[in-house]
Each structure stands twice: as C-alpha cells, then as structure tokens.
Amino acid sequence: MLSASSTPYEARLAARSGGFDAPTADVAPGFVQGNLAVLPRALAYDFLLFCQRNPKPCPLIGVSEPGDPKMPALGRDLDIRTDLPRYRIWENGTLVSEPTDVSAFWRDDLVAFLIGCSFSFEEALLAARVPVRHIDQGCNVPMYRTSIPTTPAGCFSGPLVVSMRPLAPADLVRAIQVTSRFPSVHGAPIHVGDPAAIGIADIAAPDYGDPVEIRPGEVPVFWACGVTPQSVIASVRPDFCITHAPGYMLVTDIPNGSLAV
Amino acid sequence: MLSASSTPYEARLAARSGGFDAPTADVAPGFVQGNLAVLPRALAYDFLLFCQRNPKPCPLIGVSEPGDPKMPALGRDLDIRTDLPRYRIWENGTLVSEPTDVSAFWRDDLVAFLIGCSFSFEEALLAARVPVRHIDQGCNVPMYRTSIPTTPAGCFSGPLVVSMRPLAPADLVRAIQVTSRFPSVHGAPIHVGDPAAIGIADIAAPDYGDPVEIRPGEVPVFWACGVTPQSVIASVRPDFCITHAPGYMLVTDIPNGSLAV
C-alpha cells in the first residue's frame, strides 16, 4: 500500500506488481516524475532532435538504449515496461489499449524517451508560497493548444501546448524567479497575460485538463507543457508508439532539487 | 577589415570571402560563438544522444538538417561551409587538412552540430568584475583530460575535458553565481580545488591550451569544456569528420544575454 512517505522505488515496485493503478501526483513527493514516449528506432533521431530544438516543452530527462527497457540512471532497477501504473498503446495514431504493463508489446527496436513534467516546479512554487490554483481546486491543470509553432525536426512538427496558472502580480514575479531555476522541467513562463495573443480563444475551455478560476486582479501565466510532444506524436501517427496514461507518470529516484540551477 | 565593432554577419562574410583568417575570441563581442562538429548522418543519432547525456561539456546550440549547410536559426544567411575562418578535415581520425572553406568537402549526408563555448560565460564573468587569468595573460585557457567519464552513447565515450580558471575565494563565489546562469554554455563549475581529485597529475602541464599562474590564496576552478566532444570524436575515428580549427569559431547572431536564465 503506497503512502505519502513511500519511496520512488516502492512506488515503481507497486506499479510493477499491479498493486498501484492511480495517478502519481501525490506519490513520492520531492522526486522527479516524467512523461513517457516510446518510439521505434527509425523515428528516434527525428524525435531526439525535436526535443533538442524545443527544450521548453520537451525537456529530456533520459533516453534508453534501443530495445533496452532498463534506465538505471533514472532509478534503481527501473524497468520502463512495468514501472508506470498505466500506459497507452498507439497504432497509426489510434489509441488501441491502456494496459498496466507493456512487456507483451516490447520490441528490440523501441527507444524510451522520458520528458520532465511540471510537478517538479509546482513543488518549488508551493515551497515559495506561490499558490497553485488547480492544486487548491483539486483538479487537473488547464492546458491549451496555441498558435505558437514548435521548431520542426524531420517528421515532427505542430503547435506548442501550454499549461496555465493564474497569479496575482506579486506571485507572478516570484513564480518567474522560481521556475527560471528549473530549465530542465519547462523553466520560466513563455507568456503572461492576454490568451488571444498566443491563439487561445477561450481561456475557460482548455483543450486538455480542467478550467480553473481566474480571480479579479490575477493574470493568466503560461508555461510550455509536456503534452506538446504527445500532441506532436499524435499528428505524425507512427505505426507504433507507447506513452504513459495522462497523470500516470514514471516516478524516478532523481530529487527535484538536483534539477535546480 | 574586421574591428571590435564588427557585427557577427560582417565577421561571417569576411571569413566567407577569405578576408578573415584568425581566431575569433575578440570578434563581435556580445554574441554566442560555437564549436563545430560535422559528422555523417550514420553517426548523428549517437552523437546527438551523447550531447543530450552530457549537456555540461556538449551544450548544443543547433543541429543542421542532413546535407543542408544553412542554419538560419543561428544567423542571417549563415553557411556552415564557408563562414568559419578555418576548419579541420579528419579522415579515420587523422587530420588531413586545415582549409578556410569546406565547400569542396561537403556531402549530402553531413550533419553539423554547433556546441556552445566558454566565451559567452567569460564575458559575463568580466562584466561581473571576476578576473579571468588567461585573458589577463593573453594566452589560451588551460584544458585537461580528467578521470571523470562522460556518459556513453552508442560509439561515443571517453573522459571529460575541463578548462581551468584560478580564482580568489570571493571571486569563486561570484563566478559560480554568474556561470550558473548560463547552463547552455557549460554552466557552473564541475570541480573546485584539488586537481588530483579529478585525475589531473600536473596543473602546470595542461593537455590543451597554455598553463596560467595560480597565485597564493587562489584555488583552481574547473568547468566542463567544449573540447570534450572533439576528444571523444577523435577516439571514435569516424571515416569522415569536419571540425573548426581551435579558436576559429562560428560567430552567431545570438546575443550572449539571451542564453542567461
């Protein structure tokens, strides 16, 4: 049974044994969690280059060897096939199943990409007493497709997806300072204020996640979002792809603090 | 004729026309300069992954499309084949020529990697009134192979190369603060103090560059160095490779300040 004091390794073992099948937001606080994208080696160069050219939405935490499901640099005994609580299997861009273990789907040519997520900087925001609205409201962060293009690489291209957190001006300043220290998990905001300026027609209707309240005097603050690579992969429709199920992340042994500059 | 007030574009045009064939340290101050490595596409995935896994010695500024010598994101009308003042051509790990133009050597399968260099953070150190000894002595920075391994990727592996700048303790603190703001051009030091702790037998005998004076009360401070990828490529001995000649860098249109976090 997992608790707030469970270690990352305990969380991974629980996922591996089938005893843990839930979102990971509250699991093993203090440690980096990651978005997963698994692609055939034939697409890996283009995707790696896409991440290099778009480090704000696609901050790479690790890349596996082709066919090797172990990623020891990210965690003790870590196995990409079993250690996330839930996955998504995609074929030609269509979601075909949501298993809790992908061992049966693994192939010798698969490369796993782990991409940082905003849990790391949200923890730093809370520690700096910057309120995070969707956490206070107990819902998912609102996310939006924008009119900002990513920098293409090979077959990968598409719009930047952003997450939004409304902030009072004093909190905005502190939030920029705090998240600037975490360039490897999305870093500083990419936009502050008018949603229309980045192609968001209706701030109350996010493309992913849940809407949150924006109070008088607050401004919406937008960060590059790790949903971007999934959105981009979906538009490329590779013949085969594995991702995590939204919110069901890989919990690593890397302390959040080690990412700060 | 180039002067200290020449723009990056003027510097590149001068190199292209054959009218500028000298080190670029004093050229177009304020703009990012880069180390060049050009490799066949067959090695590009491994090298890109090597850079991703070793961001401190190999901070990527840009990667070209295969066969395309233009890199418009780095500078107006920029052509990798002509815009550096001097190159090195390597065949099977052997230096075969040092041309000022590599148009005749260009191939459809070549990929250009541009890697950040310490000129960017040295400018920030000087602006913060941190003295930089090799600049004061008018020589090249001392560089050393260490006992610290890089993280391998495919065929690429080998020891980390570091540069060294001696500093008084108060300057050391400021230097760590200043260079931490530049993770995309080597970032914070990787070691302070005892050279033997990182496998350097004789601080007075650098493996590359020139020795510098270490005054009483100063400590040697070590940064990951952009010579690392060249050292690693040399040990892999690819059948064909182009690099810049040491000190003869690519001058980009990117302001140094835009790299700071």
Side-chain angles (χ1 to χ4, degrees), chain A residues 32-243:
Chain A
V32 173
Q33 298 193 19
N35 300 283
L36 179 69
V38 178
L39 289 165
R41 171 66 180 84
L43 292 173
Y45 178 75
D46 284 353
F47 189 68
L48 182 58
L49 189 56
F50 182 80
C51 294
Q52 190 276 325
R53 289 181 176 165
N54 297 280
K56 295 201 84 164
C58 309
L60 274 175
I61 302 291
V63 182
S64 77
E65 297 300 317
D68 186 354
K70 305 286 188 176
M71 298 182 78
L74 298 183
R76 173 183 172 192
D77 187 31
L78 193 155
D79 190 321
I80 281 294
R81 300 170 299 183
T82 55
D83 289 3
L84 285 77
R86 193 165 283 275
Y87 303 80
R88 287 184 161 181
I89 307 286
W90 304 83
E91 290 177 6
N92 301 306
T94 302
L95 175 64
V96 295
S97 78
E98 289 210 359
T100 59
D101 183 314
V102 295
S103 298
F105 299 89
W106 196 256
R107 309 188 328 203
D108 283 349
D109 70 331
L110 294 181
V111 178
F113 295 86
L114 200 74
I115 294 168
C117 93
S118 56
F119 291 170
S120 301
F121 79 62
E122 286 179 349
E123 184 177 274
L125 288 173
L126 294 172
R129 300 291 184 270
V130 175
V132 179
R133 183 64 37 80
H134 67 274
I135 293 177
D136 292 340
Q137 291 192 191
C139 65
N140 199 349
V141 68
M143 293 165 275
Y144 308 83
R145 279 188 294 272
T146 69
S147 57
I148 303 170
T150 57
T151 305
C155 62
F156 295 101
S157 66
L160 179 70
V161 177
V162 296
S163 62
M164 188 279 286
R165 294 160 189 80
L167 293 170
D171 290 330
L172 163 66
V173 173
R174 192 76 186 111
I176 292 173
Q177 292 172 324
V178 168
T179 57
S180 294
R181 298 181 59 227
F182 290 89
S184 57
V185 281
H186 305 311
I190 59 100
H191 181 61
V192 174
D194 184 15
I198 58 171
I200 299 172
D202 184 356
I203 197 73
D207 296 303
Y208 310 91
D210 302 308
V212 297
E213 181 191 8
I214 302 178
R215 297 176 186 159
E218 290 181 340
V219 290
V221 185
F222 299 91
W223 277 265
C225 177
V227 168
T228 307
Q230 286 204 30
S231 158
V232 161
I233 289 173
S235 73
V236 170
R237 301 180 174 273
D239 61 344
F240 183 78
C241 174
I242 303 172
T243 67

